[in-house]
Amino acid sequence: MKKLLPLLLLAAATASCTRRPVISGRIEGLTNDTLIVQWGAIEAIPAKELHRDTVVVRKGRFTFDAQIKKPCFFSIRPLQAVIPIRGGYKWYSSVSDIHFTLDRGERVAIRAKVDSIYTDYTLSGESPNTEWSRFRAEQLPLHIAYTRLSLRADTILSAEETNALSERLRALSGKIIGAVTEYIRENPCETLSGYLLADIPTDSVLSCFTLLDERVRTSRFAPLIAHAVGKAEARQRSLEARKKTAPGMPAPEFVLRDADGKEFALSSLRGRYVVLDFWGSWCGWCIKGFPRMKACYERYKDKLEIVGIACNDTPEKWREAIGRHGLPWVHVINPRNAAPGDDVTVRYAVEGYPTKIVIDPEGRIAARFVGESEEFYDKLAEMLE
């Protein structure tokens, strides 16, 4: 036994030194030896919380050892796929990226060939990577055609050419989305369907979700599925709210905190015209409209109250913006990550900023305006003068 122990230790040491890397690959057609690697936990993808590194390719081969403890998403982009375009900006071709996912203990081997604007690749290992590799190969011609047309859009074209190009892009986009949706409907038991759920229109998510097998719903893609379903449900609530906030409908009541931390109820302004101004300190168009809003408020403040509702904002930035721009009307904040039932933007079907909603003295919605427009001020003058 004494003689056997050193041999066992040596074997263990040798195995640890020769352990296969988590990611290995062979790439043909590179004109640059650098790859950009991005990865992050699948649950963090919606927030775009990704790590980033570079890998050098030697004689067409590369390896990357990622220390992962939970399911992760990976993207590998050849540096040569970063294309300079007009205006000095950089453009990234999504069909140049190599995408896959890995759970703890899994490995993937990549065989790829890089063309001018796309990468053709196959993945060896476990499903869903092998299934994704097969599905992507089927759809690659559509994506290549879309990418080539997108690059043409950056050139100087006539109005007629631009319109024709836009039509072709819309048609190709429809085919791509249709293929993804069809795959999910025909393969509800494939884990890949859970991943693809985030790539289809919001209006189709809920119907496709009901088809998914329970194993898919609880797979590594469960966080992505939950995010897609959550967005779809919010969209559905927003559409329902839009009907309930059409002109002539009662304005939904809400209670929010003002800049002093006190509760403010919309119903406290009953008997006056009210403008709900959905804005944020981060919204350039909202801020651009403040001088005109202030002049309007000064003119009509005996008949009108404006309630600024800060959205997707922090209390600190919100309060600082109120002071910096000298906004004299009522201000409240819609809490970040509010539950759908408490989210005022959901109740009022707000989908763009700024959104201004006019409420009459009886508490009914009189008009809705998205963006800065002359029509808003004309409507107020018509009602108040």
Side-chain angles (χ1 to χ4, degrees), residues 34-342:
T34 303
L35 303 176
I36 302 169
V37 183
Q38 295 187 102
W39 75 98
I42 287 176
E43 63 197 42
I45 291 175
K48 298 182 179 180
E49 297 174 0
L50 298 175
H51 304 284
R52 183 185 173 100
D53 206 343
T54 57
V55 174
V56 175
V57 180
R58 292 184 172 86
K59 296 181 179 180
R61 297 182 180 276
F62 72 95
T63 61
F64 188 76
D65 256 332
Q67 302 299 317
I68 60 174
K69 298 180 179 179
K70 57 177 67 175
C72 287
F73 170 83
F74 285 83
S75 171
I76 297 179
R77 173 181 298 152
L79 186 60
Q80 70 193 63
V82 180
I83 305 171
I85 60 175
R86 184 159 44 92
Y89 296 100
K90 302 293 185 181
W91 186 83
Y92 305 94
S93 168
S94 61
V95 286
S96 291
D97 293 356
I98 300 170
H99 293 152
F100 53 92
T101 62
L102 289 174
D103 202 348
R104 188 172 183 176
E106 293 181 354
R107 290 179 170 78
V108 65
I110 303 164
R111 291 292 299 271
K113 184 175 182 179
V114 178
D115 203 322
S116 57
I117 61 169
Y118 69 92
T119 301
D120 190 7
Y121 64 87
T122 57
L123 304 172
S124 300
E126 303 177 47
S127 188
N129 289 331
T130 52
E131 180 65 6
W132 162 247
S133 179
R134 185 196 65 76
F135 176 71
R136 181 187 184 273
E138 289 181 356
Q139 306 307 314
L140 187 58
L142 284 174
H143 287 278
I144 292 172
Y146 188 90
T147 300
R148 292 193 192 282
L149 282 178
S150 296
L151 282 172
R152 278 202 63 205
D154 183 59
T155 61
I156 298 175
L157 302 172
S158 66
E160 185 178 344
E161 289 173 322
T162 299
N163 291 335
L165 185 61
S166 297
E167 285 297 324
R168 292 177 65 189
L169 284 170
R170 275 193 289 271
L172 277 171
S173 178
K175 288 182 179 179
I176 291 169
I177 293 170
V180 175
T181 306
E182 182 180 3
Y183 178 91
I184 297 171
R185 294 188 186 281
E186 293 183 353
N187 299 276
C189 295
E190 282 285 352
T191 307
L192 180 63
S193 292
Y195 171 72
L196 294 177
L197 196 70
D199 288 339
I200 63 176
T202 304
D203 294 344
S204 301
V205 166
L206 295 180
S207 61
C208 285
F209 172 73
T210 61
L211 302 175
L212 295 183
D213 185 80
E214 184 63 24
R215 291 186 304 104
V216 177
R217 297 185 186 187
T218 57
S219 69
R220 69 182 64 181
F221 298 124
L224 283 185
I225 294 170
H227 182 74
V229 169
K231 284 179 62 178
E233 290 175 341
R235 171 66 175 166
Q236 193 174 64
R237 286 190 294 268
S238 181
L239 291 174
E240 292 170 357
R242 192 65 182 260
K243 296 176 183 177
K244 294 178 181 178
T245 55
M249 298 295 287
E253 171 69 315
F254 63 80
V255 178
L256 293 173
R257 298 278 179 181
D258 65 17
D260 296 322
K262 298 177 181 178
E263 287 189 344
F264 167 83
L266 174 62
S267 56
S268 66
L269 297 177
R270 184 65 59 83
R272 306 188 69 187
Y273 278 96
V274 177
V275 171
L276 302 183
D277 180 31
F278 292 86
W279 71 290
S281 65
W282 44 268
C283 172
W285 281 105
C286 303
I287 292 169
K288 188 176 180 179
F290 284 156
R292 184 78 183 273
M293 285 273 286
K294 289 166 71 174
C296 179
Y297 183 70
E298 182 63 29
R299 181 172 184 174
Y300 298 120
K301 62 184 179 182
D302 291 339
K303 305 175 183 178
L304 169 75
E305 186 57 76
I306 297 175
V307 179
I309 304 175
C311 306
N312 304 320
D313 229 330
T314 65
E316 296 76 20
K317 291 181 179 179
W318 165 54
R319 293 190 180 94
E320 190 275 333
I322 295 171
R324 175 157 43 93
H325 298 292
L327 308 180
W329 47 80
V330 175
H331 288 279
V332 293
I333 187 168
N334 187 48
R336 275 179 159 182
N337 302 317
D342 299 324

Side-chain angles (χ1 to χ4, degrees), residues 339-355:
D342 299 324
D343 192 332
V344 178
T345 63
V346 173
R347 292 189 203 176
Y348 280 86
V350 175
E351 297 179 349
Y353 298 89
T355 289

Side-chain angles (χ1 to χ4, degrees), residues 292 373-383:
R292 184 78 183 273
S373 69
E374 192 68 29
E375 186 184 1
F376 165 71
Y377 297 100
D378 291 343
K379 184 66 175 179
L380 275 186
E382 178 187 320
M383 289 188 292

